[in-house]
Amino acid sequence: MCYQVRIGIWEAGAYGVSESRKHAFIWAASPEETPPEWPEPMHVFAGPELKMSLNGKNHFTTIRSTSTGAPFHAITVRDTIGDLPAVKNGASTTTMEYNDEPVSWLQKKIRGDTLALTDHISKEMNELNLIRCQRIPRRPGADWRDLPDQKVWAWEASSAI
């Protein structure tokens, strides 16, 4: 069909999303059209460049790293939801007031003029998953890979809650 095809993989964090997630995009255009350029990533994000190869020879960068600089700082999970009140395991209150003022420009924008939060609920986790979540270190970037390499027995789970 002679279409032009442009393939790109973008790191969501470099575009202002508060997570590390890669998205693949495929743009196609007829031969007489000029496909648009990819948008420039605007946020500093510490992910590596992602490179692809075709036929094992031609290498090209699909994600340009912004770890060395970009117009805006990275948006963190704290910037996005750090103002939300804590909820307990299995909480199901559908409306609750904010406990604090928003601390980031994004929280102010998301909140707008509202004083109450709706549907801030938590799925009830089983004991083992609750223990796992509690053992993830409380520091930026920590996730399940930072869990200690140890077994948790049922009697430990019930005493740790």
Side-chain angles (χ1 to χ4, degrees):
M1 294 174 61
C2 298
Y3 274 78
Q4 310 169 58
V5 177
R6 182 174 286 172
I7 300 169
I9 300 175
W10 300 352
E11 172 56 69
Y15 291 90
V17 178
S18 58
E19 68 177 327
S20 176
R21 180 166 296 190
K22 290 159 184 58
H23 296 272
F25 291 88
I26 301 171
W27 291 356
S30 63
E32 63 272 2
E33 298 293 327
T34 302
E37 294 298 318
W38 298 119
E40 286 293 317
M42 298 297 288
H43 294 266
V44 172
F45 196 81
E49 285 187 339
L50 180 62
K51 298 184 185 257
M52 292 180 69
S53 65
L54 297 173
N55 303 329
K57 306 177 206 174
N58 303 329
H59 297 278
F60 63 95
T61 301
T62 58
I63 296 177
R64 183 176 64 81
S65 175
T66 57
S67 61
T68 58
F72 302 110
H73 69 79
I75 294 180
T76 66
V77 172
R78 185 179 307 268
D79 291 335
T80 309
I81 62 171
D83 64 330
L84 297 180
V87 292
K88 295 189 185 294
N89 186 27
S92 61
T93 305
T94 56
T95 304
M96 65 174 51
E97 292 184 15
Y98 287 99
N99 295 334
D100 301 308
E101 293 297 314
V103 294
S104 74
W105 67 269
L106 184 56
Q107 291 168 10
K108 290 174 188 169
K109 184 170 180 75
I110 292 170
R111 215 187 268 199
D113 296 332
T114 61
L115 301 174
L117 180 61
T118 58
D119 298 325
H120 187 49
I121 59 175
S122 172
K123 178 182 174 186
E124 188 161 4
M125 291 185 274
N126 64 38
E127 285 183 298
L128 183 57
N129 284 333
L130 185 59
I131 296 298
R132 287 176 179 147
C133 289
Q134 291 170 339
R135 291 190 178 179
I136 294 174
R138 294 185 183 266
R139 61 174 167 72
D143 63 15
W144 63 270
R145 290 174 286 239
D146 296 304
L147 286 169
D149 188 18
Q150 64 188 49
K151 291 185 179 183
V152 176
W153 304 101
W155 62 269
E156 285 183 88
S158 60
S159 66
I161 295 178

